[in-house]
Amino acid sequence: MYGLINKAVEGLVRSKFGDATWDKIRTRAGLPDEPFISMEQYDDKTTYDLVGAASAVLGAPGEAILEEFGYYWTKYTAEAGYGELMKSAGKTLPEFLRNLDQMHTRVKLSFPHLAPPSFSVTDETSSSLTLHYYSDRAGLAPLVVGLLRGLGDRFNVDIVTRSERVNEGPRPHDLFRLTWTPRAGNAHA
Ligand code: HEM
């Protein structure tokens, strides 16, 4: 994955746990003391190793690290120069989720070798939908749980999510059944 992702993992660890903890995690992941370059492609193994090392050093399951990272990512991208892109994806949660593939297609203009996930929306009502998540990478569903939590903040809604793995059919994937309610003070959700 592009360095942008690893850089954000580093940002999350440094801001929440400090520089010394980042050094421990980086060393345990076998990575040199060098800055990640956002536009450079790194082996996916680098990101998985970082998650594994963070899990060991912080004493938390890998799934919890991924979820926390997903949550952080929604704030980080908005501040790291991708705010307009996030804005253009939609003004409401369902609109945004329907536009996720289009958004990553736009990301691809800056990151030409991007291997983005793919999402689709079904069973939509005014307060619920099913989000289907397809990826060639394994084990990243908890990341999506955190991303959805961050999007809940963004759109000022409380989201209840039930996730399921679908192994049958032509394209195994994960699905997330979402139901949302507006948070107090939000008349627009
Ligand atoms: C403007 C904001 C965003 C940017 C710039 C961005 C960019 C990226 C980049 C660079 C990757 C790594 C893929 C690679 O290098 O091949 C990635 C992966 C991913 N993105 Fe986004 N993204 C954004 C927002 C989102 C949002 C809001 C979601 C919400 C669901 C999302 C879901 C994912 C997931 C799940 C992956 C992991 C890769 C996989 O599943 O195979 N992204 N994104």
Side-chain angles (χ1 to χ4, degrees):
M1 289 199 252
Y2 274 99
L4 183 68
I5 297 278
N6 300 326
K7 222 176 139 125
V9 174
E10 176 179 350
L12 168 63
V13 171
R14 282 193 195 273
S15 66
K16 254 193 133 167
F17 303 99
D19 296 341
T21 304
W22 167 249
D23 276 337
K24 267 192 212 157
I25 291 172
R26 181 188 56 71
T27 308
R28 194 174 173 115
L31 297 172
D33 186 8
E34 285 167 10
F36 290 111
I37 299 163
S38 295
M39 309 298 289
E40 197 166 285
Q41 277 188 291
Y42 294 77
D43 204 310
D44 280 3
K45 186 176 179 302
T46 301
T47 311
Y48 283 99
D49 285 353
L50 273 178
V51 172
S55 165
V57 170
L58 300 171
E63 288 82 2
I65 308 282
L66 283 170
E67 185 177 332
E68 212 42 46
F69 176 64
Y71 181 73
Y72 178 79
W73 182 244
T74 59
K75 324 265 162 177
Y76 179 89
T77 44
E79 284 166 16
Y82 302 95
E84 280 308 312
L85 198 54
M86 289 285 275
K87 252 191 209 156
S88 69
K91 286 197 175 69
T92 64
L93 179 71
E95 186 190 359
F96 190 97
L97 295 176
R98 282 194 304 266
N99 285 334
L100 275 173
D101 280 11
Q102 211 177 22
M103 194 202 67
H104 277 115
T105 301
R106 289 184 64 190
V107 173
K108 212 168 173 168
L109 296 175
S110 313
F111 299 87
H113 301 291
L114 193 77
S118 178
F119 293 91
S120 64
V121 170
T122 61
D123 308 300
E124 200 176 334
T125 74
S126 60
S127 60
S128 68
L129 57 75
T130 301
L131 181 70
H132 302 255
Y133 160 57
Y134 301 88
S135 172
D136 295 334
R137 301 181 174 99
L140 299 183
L143 176 67
V144 177
V145 173
L147 285 158
L148 291 170
R149 191 151 58 82
L151 292 176
D153 283 0
R154 180 176 178 85
F155 295 107
N156 215 9
V157 290
D158 287 318
I159 306 177
V160 177
T161 309
R162 259 191 312 124
S163 59
E164 265 170 57
R165 178 75 192 164
V166 180
N167 282 316
E168 61 277 9
R171 274 185 91 188
H173 67 288
D174 292 278
L175 58 81
F176 301 84
R177 297 187 198 281
L178 311 186
T179 306
W180 62 88
T181 47
R183 288 185 186 159
N186 176 14
H188 304 291

